[in-house]
Amino acid sequence: SNFLDESINVTPNNPTAVPPSVLLPTVEIGTAFANANEINRFASTIMQQTAGAANSPATYDVYQTNGADFGNQWRFELYGGALVNAQKIIDIASASNSPAYTGIAKIMKAYAFSVATDMWGDVPYSQALQGEANPQPRVDKQEDIYKGNTSQNIQSLFDLVREGLADLDKQSATRPGNDDVIYRGDLAKWRRAGNTLLLKLANTISVKEPALAKQVIDQVIAGNNFIRSNADDFNVTFGAAVGSRDPRFEYTNISSFKDDLIMSSRYLTLLQGLNDPRLPVFWTKPAANYVTWDNGQSGARPTPVTTWSRYNSYVTGANGEGPVRLLTNFQRAFILAESALMLGTAGDPQTLYAEGIRASMTLAGIPTAQIDAYITANALRGTQQERLAQIITQKYIAFTGNGLELWNDWRRTGYPTQQPAQNAVGIDGTRPVRAVYVSFENERNTNFPNPAPQSNVKVWWDAN
Amino acid sequence: GRVTSSDDGSALPGVSIQVKGTTRGATTDAQGQYRLSVPANSRLVFSYIGFETQEILVGNQTTIDVKLSSGTQSLNEIVVTAQGIERDKRSLGYSTQEVGASMIAQKSEPNLLNALQGKLAGVQISGQSGAPGASTNINIRGITSFNGSNQPLIVVDGIIFSNDVNVSGNTLFQAQSANRLADVNPENIESVNVLKGPAAAVLYGSRASAGAIIITTKNGRNQNNKTEVTVNSSYNVQNVYGLPRFQNDYGQGTNNLYVNNTTASWGLPFVGGPTSITNLQGETRPYQAYPNNVRDFYQQGSIFQNTANIAGGDANRNFSLSFGNTTQKGIVPTFKFNRTNVQVGGESKLNNGIKVSGTASYVQTVQGGTALGNGGSAFGQLTRIPRSYDLVNEPFQDANGQSIYFLTTANNPNWAVRNLTLNSQVDRFFGNFTVGYDVTKWLNVTYRVTGDTYTDRRKNVNNIGAARAPQGEIIQDQFFRSELNGDLLVNAKADKLFIEGLSGNLLLGNNINQRQSQSQSVYAQQLTIPGFSNVSNGSVFTSSGESSLTRRLVGYYAQASLSYNNYLFLELTGRADRSSTLPRANNTYFYPSASVSFVPTDAFKLQSDILSYAKVRASIAKVGRDADPYLLNSVFAQASFGNNLASVAFPLSIGGSSVPGFAIGGRIGNNGLTPEFVTSQEVGLNLGLFKNKVSIDAAYFFTSSTNQIFNVAVSPSSGYDTRTTNVGELQNRGLELTLNATPVRASGFRWDVTLNFTRIRNKVVSIAPGVTQSGITGNGFIGITSSIVEGQPYGVIVSTANPRVQNTNPNGQYYDATGQFVGQYVINPTTGQFAPGLAGQVIANPNPNWTAGLNNTFSYKGFSLQALVDTRQGGQLFSFSAADYRSGGSLYVTGIDRDQPRILPGVIQNSDGTFRPNNIQLPAQTYWAGLGGLASEGAVFDATVYRLREVSFNYTFPKEWLSRTPLGAASIGITGRNLYFFAPGFFADPEVNTQGAGNIQGLDLNGPPNTRNYGVNLRLTF
């Protein structure tokens, strides 16, 4: 009868099919949001760029982290956000012969998976994102995620990126435009970003797997199509209004948690020691002097809170625009400098190192003369390890505001060398070397080890 | 005539007199007098609760004086059962329980469900808090559905009445919304009948699988051609009750240092400490304890209720009018609950045999609340006030109206209760229209149309500076809900069916149902003008939205009842439903029930002075239940990321252009859903002892719910959160017992006792293949999940548990071959704290072991005293408040011997795998924090509580005093509610339930506290 027509039960509230163009912004913003939100509060704090003045950051600062942390990042930003929607774009766009979308989605998917595995180590990968077909995906080894494993049917992250790059070269029925909030549909820039992502992934495993890393980097250098100008940076730009802003702007300037973070005294000491002109660009100084806090310090916080040094507009944008810098020209230069030094890939470490500093300082708006002076004063010197320490330290400064990159580099190389926080407790008083699996996943997926590995158990590529 | 008591000759007012076989009747007045014109040779039935019913043949008599003898309690009562069918209670093969007006009205309580607490066997009612209008949860005979509503169906005067809780936003943070039964004025209720099992309620179909509550409002029946006006007024005050005891020796700080931005009281002692400190604002304050800084934050609330009823008519025509007003002010400034009810009703029997009746009601309910919960709300902070912070007298806002507080992540509670507000105004109409026709003596056809509709217009204002929305936001929400029902009822009866003594009744029915709801919200963010609470003040509206639901159902039902010599009864029912919410192939489903009742005392003439009455009964029933709308497909939704730390919501505004973004919804749809079923078996026994001075009603039931429509949790790494499917089995078995007794009745003095007892065991038998636990749908904090877990009762709380020594798995962690330390906590040898926890463990069971209520009523002449005590035994509460108070060092116990080191209970594993007792000393702060933070088993407490729920004392003025006034009757009384509780396992009141009515129970997530109410009331009849 009409009274019980099937149309009665068709939801008027949600679409059941959408074009890829409304999923792409979700993927891009979700990836940037994951990087810049709680993961950055955690990683920038334990990496002593920020200090925890209250709440979670204060806990992180004394090395306490557990499965209750990063639930949102795992559930809503990565797996249930950027990743599953990237997969959906791949499915929809494959069916509609739009490899421009699948190519971008594969690169984004590889980037977001690298965030997941760098944070948590072994994670669901080859069987993830399949919905009902696999409600409890297997946990793949990080080694297999990076290197691939044919017998287990695991595609390496490198091959995933390469597949995406290949898609970008195909004819596409539809192409992204303004829905691509990163490059506005410029596929040439996407190719450069994809190749630069290969460099980043190779760099991450370079201590554990130097030969493979060298092979990948050599190949990218030979292809000669990677980010080599700041204008090509793989940046996600946010907006200036409520609900559109970079999370770092929100949680340092707007939200009720804005007084959780303050500049670390140790970071101030480092940059002042180097006489680094980027300091006032990266950080605010509302009072006569920088007001900072030592990592893990207890006692009454500096007053009033309006004097605290916080992320400056270089990091957050003047009104929350960001950008979140996911792959950059300076990063590429530092990676090639490190590879040239440690793996013997093409190029001169000092030249590439200077290129990295110059790229960073140019972004920061530092005058050329000051840049030249700074590069001269901080030229690479000493043993291979000392030079590596310089490269990583400069990368650490340049990447201010992207805590995950700082934490990855420190775990790989041990640089920059830092003293433990005051009052450090945590699992054994040492700085975390992995994020603990979110308890939600433990509750729902019996493939996860329970109890989960604690924060003092290294991930596979952390071989130093 | 006049009706008196055979015990002491006193007049019996309110005795019901009915002309047998008709609806004509009358009631006695205060002197026991009555007047009724009847055809000759009628039989009059005199019935009165607590007395034996008498039948008298009128003959030629013009005056019939009757003496009723006491003892018969609730044995020959007429009760209203499903679809409004009136039945003799003895014929029922299932359990029902009636609560009369005297146990509901004038109880210092404007919410009917709260007024029923402790009075019903088999029914669990839990209030949320003392916030006005806060929703109350009710479950009858346990939880029968994993995911669906487990609230019973509410029927008011035949109208299916929505008891929904419409939640604006997130139940973890938002002001508490009312359950919509709060729109009913308890003062206008004649009786409440609870149909407990599916067998009792099967005629209502799917929605009564969790039982039904049949509410009858006051009407004008039996007014004997007289018009009567009754006025009730009451005034009560309300005070905060149940706060814990605090320490007053140490002030704000951590690690024995003063810290200006901490909520903790682990700072310096007051004795020997500094005399003054500098606060976060840079100002100097004396350093001292403020012992009442939390208690004095609250103000005294009040409840002022007025109701007038006008009723008149006779057995053929009657009318009623009711007007009620309730004005409640709560214990914080924004709390309020104002309700105005108007109802008209009437019925008329026309000369041509057609009977028409109808009621129409209008209610306006205004509720005012404030944000609650963990985080920036007032109640989230009140559990974290340092002992040295003068909450009452410190300025709470600056010249710009912005909050001043020692913590910048939250608002000053005094600011929050004034600037984070949610106001709701419900305008509700409901009514019914019934027309019936006696086709022949044995055949009646009736059609009934009922409607219930409301709009709830809400304004949620978070002023500029709100912790959760620092730039301010205004959310204008509008909920609309409507339900229409049409029921055709064809009723045939036969007095002599085949053989002498066998009578029968056959009912055929058809139900057409439509439910619609719609909500629209205008979400204005980033406000510009302080204090201007209009959405035009917003700059960003991207989170605005709408949602609509429509569902329809057509049902056919039949009931056949047989009675043999009034001592053996059989009833068979069946119902077939077609629902719009299921896939076409599976959307028609049938379910039957059968029940028998047998009265051996009548059948075998067994009555004696000891055993006056006995009845055994049994029933078996199955009820099908459809899905919620729109579960068949997977959908996409507008995307958003983040929480109160930082968030983005599409469409984003980037560089001046708007970027839309959608994402896969978290739920995987299912196009093959089938209905879920609840089957129930019940056996029961009714006994009347000692001339029915004692009566007992006992029931044992077993229900099994299968094929549950449930959103099973899937691993988040699958890209989804849940998938909708038919799964699992849930069982309830329970015992309920009601005992009524009148131990003393002599020379005008009477003592009545009612005892009820409930014990329900619920068990999740299975969930889905490969799934042993799954979260219950609703808002929750990560790491604290109200869940279903195989082998456990429904609703257990899953969180991270401290690991314990075990000797079951030699290859597992913490294995103790000696068995000596099995079960003890494992301590981290480096830190002296508990070893890292195991995720996904059951840490609390919110279901009580058993509950009981004991009501005593003493009456003498015009005086009556009633007192209700009840208890809940066992079950657990997960309390954020407790974790705050204790780990923050403000609880009394944390101040004792604070300078002494302490050792957490547990053992340390040696390098050879053996264990030794923990001997690592910790400072008090580390110890108490280690004992239980927010997401740990340390926040779990025993919820056992004993409560003096209700006391009322009434005096009815003697008739002769009123003879020179227009008054027919007058009484005055005092009542008190929640006067005292004792909770041996918790340091505050465990009867709190922050998320209100729904399937998530047992969580105290920084909600408002409970209150103690008392006041006076006056009742006048003209």
Side-chain angles (χ1 to χ4, degrees):
Chain A
S1 67
N2 287 336
F3 185 73
L4 290 172
D5 194 88
E6 271 170 302
S7 64
I8 302 296
N9 204 34
V10 173
T11 173
N13 305 317
N14 298 89
T16 51
V18 296
S21 59
V22 297
L23 297 176
L24 184 57
T26 306
V27 172
E28 294 177 351
I29 292 288
T31 306
F33 198 90
N35 172 280
N37 193 31
E38 197 64 30
I39 290 174
N40 185 55
R41 293 217 307 169
F42 166 77
S44 285
T45 300
I46 63 167
M47 289 308 299
Q48 305 183 353
Q49 291 200 339
T50 51
N55 296 311
S56 300
T59 322
Y60 302 147
D61 222 346
V62 291
Y63 305 149
Q64 285 177 331
T65 177
N66 59 42
D69 297 324
F70 315 122
N72 271 15
Q73 284 62 51
W74 179 283
R75 292 174 70 198
F76 304 127
E77 292 162 17
L78 292 169
Y79 281 101
L83 283 168
V84 71
N85 289 294
Q87 184 62 50
K88 198 73 189 175
I89 294 175
I90 294 168
D91 297 344
I92 298 173
S94 299
S96 63
N97 190 30
S98 296
Y101 275 103
T102 59
I104 290 173
K106 284 171 187 170
I107 292 168
M108 289 307 304
K109 184 178 157 188
Y111 192 100
F113 263 126
S114 80
V115 174
T117 185
D118 293 349
M119 284 286 291
W120 287 279
D122 303 343
V123 294
Y125 170 65
S126 62
Q127 296 184 351
L129 315 178
Q130 295 174 0
E132 189 151 27
N134 209 332
Q136 294 193 10
R138 177 179 74 197
V139 178
D140 290 336
K141 286 187 171 12
Q142 186 180 57
E143 180 176 7
D144 291 340
I145 295 170
Y146 269 98
K147 292 165 66 183
N149 183 329
T150 324
S151 68
Q152 300 228 38
N153 205 16
I154 301 171
Q155 181 187 40
S156 75
L157 286 178
F158 297 111
D159 284 344
L160 179 59
V161 177
R162 288 176 187 128
E163 206 181 283
L165 285 168
D167 286 354
L168 293 180
D169 291 334
K170 295 174 187 163
Q171 280 290 336
S172 186
T174 59
R175 292 165 60 112
N178 281 341
D179 51 315
D180 169 16
V181 300
I182 298 177
Y183 287 136
R184 305 279 162 200
D186 185 337
L187 297 187
K189 287 190 176 179
W190 272 104
R191 289 187 192 96
R192 278 170 236 152
N195 282 304
T196 309
L197 176 57
L198 290 174
L199 292 178
K200 170 184 141 69
L201 299 175
N203 181 239
T204 304
I205 63 163
S206 62
V207 176
K208 180 73 182 177
E209 292 280 335
L212 175 60
K214 181 173 188 308
Q215 181 206 326
V216 173
I217 294 168
D218 283 344
Q219 200 180 28
V220 173
I221 291 173
N224 196 23
N225 189 19
F226 45 81
I227 296 173
R228 54 173 79 237
S229 138
N230 288 352
D232 287 351
D233 280 359
F234 189 68
N235 290 345
V236 180
T237 303
F238 285 76
V242 163
S244 296
R245 294 188 290 230
D246 185 322
R248 296 168 302 178
F249 182 79
E250 289 276 322
Y251 63 66
T252 56
N253 289 288
I254 300 289
S255 120
S256 62
F257 296 93
K258 65 184 162 60
D259 301 324
D260 286 4
L261 287 178
I262 181 171
M263 195 212 294
S264 160
S265 306
R266 300 178 188 196
Y267 180 92
L268 179 68
T269 306
L270 173 71
L271 266 73
Q272 284 180 331
L274 293 167
N275 202 15
D276 197 305
R278 287 169 291 188
L279 184 58
V281 180
F282 289 176
W283 297 86
T284 64
K285 190 174 72 169
N289 294 304
Y290 290 101
V291 174
T292 62
W293 191 247
D294 195 29
N295 292 93
Q297 187 179 347
S298 55
R301 287 5 182 200
T303 60
V305 294
T306 48
T307 61
W308 293 12
S309 291
R310 300 161 195 264
Y311 282 139
N312 210 339
S313 58
Y314 170 86
V315 175
T316 63
N319 295 295
E321 302 89 341
V324 175
R325 298 177 170 91
L326 294 177
L327 293 167
T328 65
N329 185 34
F330 66 74
Q331 176 189 22
R332 185 271 313 162
F334 287 125
I335 288 172
L336 292 184
E338 181 188 339
S339 311
L341 177 72
M342 306 302 292
L343 305 174
T345 57
D348 169 45
Q350 168 64 34
T351 308
L352 289 161
Y353 164 78
E355 200 181 324
I357 295 173
R358 186 174 305 279
S360 166
M361 289 198 163
T362 307
L363 267 188
I366 307 299
T368 309
Q370 271 191 49
I371 299 175
D372 293 342
Y374 186 88
I375 289 172
T376 310
N378 293 288
L380 286 184
R381 62 178 77 85
T383 65
Q384 189 190 42
Q385 280 298 318
E386 284 166 348
R387 283 180 287 165
L388 176 63
Q390 276 183 285
I391 294 170
I392 300 297
T393 302
Q394 280 303 324
K395 195 176 173 191
Y396 170 89
I397 295 167
F399 249 141
T400 295
N402 187 335
L404 180 58
E405 292 296 340
L406 319 177
W407 190 37
N408 286 350
D409 284 339
W410 173 78
R411 285 186 288 169
R412 287 190 306 115
T413 67
Y415 301 119
T417 311
Q418 293 174 330
Q419 290 304 307
Q422 293 187 39
N423 303 306
V425 280
I427 194 77
D428 56 6
T430 61
R431 183 185 296 188
V433 290
R434 78 157 63 216
V436 182
Y437 288 130
V438 300
S439 47
F440 227 85
E441 190 67 66
N442 264 105
E443 289 169 18
R444 294 177 167 206
N445 189 339
T446 48
N447 293 313
F448 277 79
N450 194 5
Q454 293 304 305
S455 58
N456 57 353
V457 179
K458 290 180 173 184
V459 301
W460 164 78
W461 53 244
D462 184 356
N464 86 317
Chain B
R2 184 162 187 264
V3 183
T4 53
S5 164
S6 68
D7 289 6
D8 54 7
S10 62
L12 293 177
V15 175
S16 160
I17 302 136
Q18 199 165 19
V19 183
K20 196 172 184 187
T22 74
T23 54
R24 184 184 297 194
T27 37
T28 56
D29 66 14
Q31 280 81 42
Q33 309 272 8
Y34 73 96
R35 179 181 294 273
L36 184 66
S37 45
V38 297
N41 296 322
S42 303
R43 288 185 83 86
L44 291 184
V45 182
F46 294 80
S47 53
Y48 190 49
I49 290 175
F51 288 78
E52 279 180 30
T53 298
Q54 274 191 34
E55 276 188 29
I56 293 189
L57 185 66
V58 175
N60 303 327
Q61 303 173 79
T62 53
T63 303
I64 302 177
D65 290 338
V66 176
K67 286 186 192 307
L68 293 184
S69 59
S70 63
T72 312
Q73 293 195 6
S74 316
L75 301 180
N76 290 312
E77 282 175 77
I78 300 298
V79 293
V80 180
T81 64
Q83 298 294 0
I85 299 162
E86 294 189 346
R87 297 288 301 276
D88 187 341
K89 196 164 185 180
R90 68 158 54 200
S91 74
L92 300 180
Y94 44 75
S95 179
T96 69
Q97 188 173 353
E98 196 171 40
V99 180
S102 68
M103 290 301 287
I104 298 166
Q106 300 184 334
K107 300 299 178 196
S108 311
E109 177 52 65
N111 185 330
L112 170 65
L113 288 184
N114 294 343
L116 292 174
Q117 272 180 320
K119 294 170 187 166
L120 294 164
V123 179
Q124 196 187 342
I125 300 173
S126 38
Q128 189 176 41
S129 71
S135 70
T136 297
N137 190 62
I138 175 165
N139 297 130
I140 301 179
R141 291 188 171 175
I143 298 281
T144 56
S145 178
F146 282 163
N147 213 32
S149 167
N150 283 293
Q151 313 283 305
L153 181 72
I154 308 287
V155 182
V156 178
D157 292 333
I159 304 156
I160 307 283
F161 191 85
S162 165
N163 185 30
D164 290 356
V165 179
N166 299 112
V167 176
S168 296
N170 189 310
T171 55
L172 302 174
F173 315 120
Q174 189 55 270
Q176 301 188 331
S177 302
N179 57 303
R180 290 263 65 90
L181 187 55
D183 295 332
V184 169
N185 178 6
E187 306 291 326
N188 193 36
I189 290 174
E190 180 72 40
S191 70
V192 172
N193 195 28
V194 181
L195 308 182
K196 291 177 184 170
V202 67
L203 284 189
Y204 284 118
S206 319
R207 297 160 73 194
S209 56
I213 295 185
I214 312 298
I215 296 166
T216 309
T217 62
K218 290 179 176 165
N219 62 30
R221 269 187 213 174
N222 304 333
Q223 281 296 331
N224 199 14
N225 258 331
K226 205 176 116 186
T227 300
E228 192 171 83
V229 179
T230 306
V231 176
N232 281 306
S233 289
S234 67
Y235 183 81
N236 282 270
V237 295
Q238 198 178 26
N239 290 292
V240 66
Y241 182 49
L243 296 175
R245 184 178 178 192
F246 299 114
Q247 62 89 5
N248 286 298
D249 299 325
Y250 298 86
Q252 186 178 20
T254 57
N255 303 318
N256 304 315
L257 290 172
Y258 169 67
V259 179
N260 51 9
N261 73 341
T262 184
T263 58
S265 296
W266 295 112
L268 294 158
F270 296 121
V271 176
T275 53
S276 68
I277 40 123
T278 306
N279 67 15
L280 196 71
Q281 285 72 35
E283 300 155 336
T284 304
R285 289 288 183 269
Y287 189 63
Q288 65 174 81
Y290 293 91
N292 293 320
N293 57 355
V294 176
R295 178 174 304 274
D296 291 349
F297 168 81
Y298 296 100
Q299 63 186 31
Q300 186 172 69
S302 64
I303 308 169
F304 188 37
Q305 298 193 81
N306 291 291
T307 303
N309 283 294
I310 305 168
D314 56 29
N316 287 330
R317 278 178 196 81
N318 59 62
F319 73 95
S320 64
L321 300 171
S322 168
F323 176 82
N325 180 267
T326 296
T327 306
Q328 179 175 8
K329 285 184 204 147
I331 53 173
V332 303
T334 36
F335 275 175
K336 66 173 176 187
F337 185 77
N338 299 340
R339 178 179 62 208
T340 304
N341 299 66
V342 184
Q343 178 172 316
V344 298
E347 61 183 352
S348 178
K349 201 168 177 182
L350 309 180
N351 292 334
N352 56 10
I354 292 176
K355 185 176 153 189
V356 291
S357 65
T359 63
S361 299
Y362 167 71
V363 190
Q364 185 181 79
T365 304
V366 176
Q367 184 187 6
T370 184
L372 55 87
N374 179 257
S377 82
F379 301 106
Q381 289 309 308
L382 283 161
T383 56
R384 305 172 185 180
I385 303 294
R387 305 307 304 139
S388 52
Y389 185 71
D390 187 5
L391 177 64
V392 177
N393 296 308
E394 280 285 340
F396 64 84
Q397 60 186 2
D398 63 18
N400 299 319
Q402 296 294 292
S403 168
I404 307 175
Y405 199 38
F406 65 85
L407 196 64
T408 51
T409 46
N411 298 124
N412 188 308
N414 274 304
W415 190 90
V417 295
R418 289 166 176 85
N419 289 279
L420 314 176
T421 59
L422 176 67
N423 273 282
S424 137
Q425 178 178 323
V426 171
D427 287 273
R428 182 169 191 166
F429 290 92
F430 54 96
N432 64 36
F433 180 75
T434 306
V435 55
Y437 178 56
D438 289 326
V439 180
T440 68
K441 273 190 172 170
W442 54 271
L443 182 66
N444 174 276
V445 179
T446 298
Y447 204 85
R448 182 179 65 222
V449 181
T450 71
D452 174 23
T453 182
Y454 60 79
T455 54
D456 184 348
R457 285 171 293 157
R458 295 186 182 181
K459 178 165 270 185
N460 181 189
V461 178
N462 293 321
N463 276 328
I464 296 170
R468 269 191 184 276
Q471 296 185 296
E473 63 187 19
I474 297 164
I475 305 156
Q476 187 87 47
D477 262 338
Q478 178 155 313
F479 292 94
F480 163 81
R481 187 185 185 283
S482 85
E483 171 158 4
L484 295 170
N485 279 282
D487 277 278
L488 173 70
L489 297 150
V490 179
N491 200 6
K493 61 181 177 188
D495 280 343
K496 251 182 258 174
L497 200 62
F498 312 123
I499 53 168
E500 188 68 35
L502 185 66
S503 62
N505 199 79
L506 178 68
L507 173 81
L508 299 173
N510 160 249
N511 169 248
I512 297 173
N513 169 270
Q514 172 175 286
R515 279 171 268 172
Q516 286 187 306
S517 62
Q518 186 180 34
S519 65
Q520 293 159 305
S521 65
V522 178
Y523 204 119
Q525 294 173 285
Q526 208 170 335
L527 309 182
T528 312
I529 305 161
F532 177 46
S533 300
N534 188 288
V535 292
S536 65
N537 196 12
S539 315
V540 175
F541 297 88
T542 49
S543 296
S544 303
E546 61 156 309
S547 171
S548 304
L549 300 176
T550 301
R551 64 191 299 170
R552 289 174 176 169
L553 184 135
V554 176
Y556 298 92
Y557 49 92
Q559 181 183 63
S561 314
L562 294 171
S563 162
Y564 183 68
N565 282 336
N566 212 28
Y567 60 71
L568 179 63
F569 306 88
L570 171 69
E571 186 169 285
L572 301 169
T573 68
R575 178 164 170 142
D577 284 339
R578 273 190 89 180
S579 165
S580 69
T581 65
L582 290 166
R584 172 137 293 198
N586 308 330
N587 77 345
T588 306
Y589 47 101
F590 172 79
Y591 40 93
S593 82
S595 66
V596 294
S597 164
F598 177 56
V599 185
T601 42
D602 283 18
F604 307 127
K605 308 280 182 230
L606 297 176
Q607 287 100 332
S608 69
D609 282 357
I610 295 168
L611 180 66
S612 326
Y613 175 76
K615 169 181 138 181
V616 291
R617 60 178 200 264
S619 71
I620 180 163
K622 180 177 179 183
V623 180
R625 171 138 64 178
D626 56 358
D628 286 338
Y630 315 142
L631 291 182
L632 308 187
N633 297 313
S634 303
V635 297
F636 294 84
Q638 208 165 37
S640 62
F641 297 104
N643 53 15
N644 56 333
L645 176 70
S647 65
V648 291
F650 285 91
L652 262 54
S653 168
I654 301 176
S657 63
S658 178
V659 182
F662 277 72
I664 282 175
R667 189 185 58 83
I668 303 168
N670 183 340
N671 220 348
L673 282 186
T674 59
E676 61 180 64
F677 287 100
V678 180
T679 55
S680 135
Q681 292 146 51
E682 173 183 346
V683 290
L685 178 68
N686 294 67
L687 290 177
L689 303 172
F690 314 115
K691 294 187 175 174
N692 291 325
K693 284 202 170 69
V694 176
S695 68
I696 294 167
D697 185 342
Y700 175 81
F701 63 86
F702 172 79
T703 63
S704 166
S705 314
T706 53
N707 216 26
Q708 299 272 295
I709 297 166
F710 186 62
N711 296 331
V712 179
V714 297
S715 161
S717 57
S718 74
Y720 293 82
D721 193 42
T722 60
R723 72 190 159 98
T724 303
T725 185
N726 286 102
V727 294
E729 185 182 355
L730 185 63
Q731 289 180 351
N732 285 282
R733 55 191 83 222
L735 182 66
E736 61 198 33
L737 192 68
T738 311
L739 185 145
N740 287 291
T742 307
V744 179
R745 184 212 302 273
S747 24
F749 178 76
R750 179 171 171 151
W751 173 25
D752 295 297
V753 183
T754 305
L755 173 73
N756 68 70
F757 170 87
T758 307
R759 181 184 190 276
I760 296 172
R761 289 289 175 273
N762 173 288
K763 186 179 171 186
V764 175
V765 178
S766 64
I767 304 175
V771 178
T772 53
Q773 66 181 45
S774 186
I776 296 169
T777 305
N779 297 124
F781 285 103
I782 288 174
I784 308 159
T785 314
S786 279
S787 301
I788 53 171
V789 178
E790 218 169 82
Q792 297 276 342
Y794 185 89
V796 291
I797 293 156
V798 166
S799 185
T800 300
N802 299 327
R804 293 167 186 262
V805 176
Q806 48 95 12
N807 65 348
T808 50
N809 177 8
N811 301 318
Q813 264 195 315
Y814 311 133
Y815 175 75
D816 180 7
T818 70
Q820 188 187 351
F821 294 109
V822 169
Q824 300 224 37
Y825 290 128
V826 180
I827 300 292
N828 178 334
T830 318
T831 61
Q833 302 257 34
F834 295 124
L838 287 157
Q841 308 298 306
V842 173
I843 62 160
N845 172 12
N847 300 289
N849 194 4
W850 55 268
T851 57
L854 175 66
N855 189 60
N856 280 286
T857 307
F858 305 93
S859 46
Y860 179 70
K861 302 260 162 100
F863 295 95
S864 86
L865 173 68
Q866 177 244 328
L868 172 68
V869 291
D870 61 25
T871 182
R872 168 203 161 104
Q873 293 288 317
Q876 290 163 317
L877 175 78
F878 181 94
S879 175
F880 270 22
S881 307
D884 284 346
Y885 283 133
R886 200 171 57 181
S887 63
S890 56
L891 200 65
Y892 176 74
V893 66
T894 65
I896 300 169
D897 296 333
R898 184 173 281 191
D899 47 357
Q900 301 300 311
R902 288 159 190 275
I903 297 169
L904 283 171
V907 292
I908 295 173
Q909 192 159 27
N910 298 313
S911 50
D912 63 358
T914 62
F915 291 84
R916 65 177 188 275
N918 176 27
N919 60 351
I920 301 174
Q921 296 190 336
L922 300 174
Q925 177 182 342
T926 316
Y927 171 85
W928 288 110
L931 258 191
L934 287 188
S936 79
E937 59 177 291
V940 176
F941 295 87
D942 181 5
T944 297
V945 65
Y946 303 85
R947 194 178 303 272
L948 178 54
R949 173 84 54 189
E950 198 174 277
V951 173
S952 65
F953 180 74
N954 263 283
Y955 178 64
T956 305
F957 292 98
K959 197 84 184 174
E960 45 271 30
W961 293 14
L962 306 171
S963 56
R964 284 160 185 266
T965 71
L967 294 174
S971 68
I972 187 162
I974 53 175
T975 61
R977 198 170 163 75
N978 196 21
L979 292 176
Y980 175 77
F981 75 85
F982 170 63
F986 190 51
F987 48 75
D989 188 347
E991 192 180 290
V992 285
N993 168 28
T994 310
Q995 282 174 291
N999 291 340
I1000 294 178
Q1001 295 291 306
L1003 297 174
D1004 166 23
L1005 308 176
N1006 298 110
N1010 269 325
T1011 59
R1012 176 193 266 160
N1013 304 351
Y1014 50 86
V1016 296
N1017 57 64
L1018 180 69
R1019 179 187 170 93
L1020 303 171
T1021 305
F1022 299 92

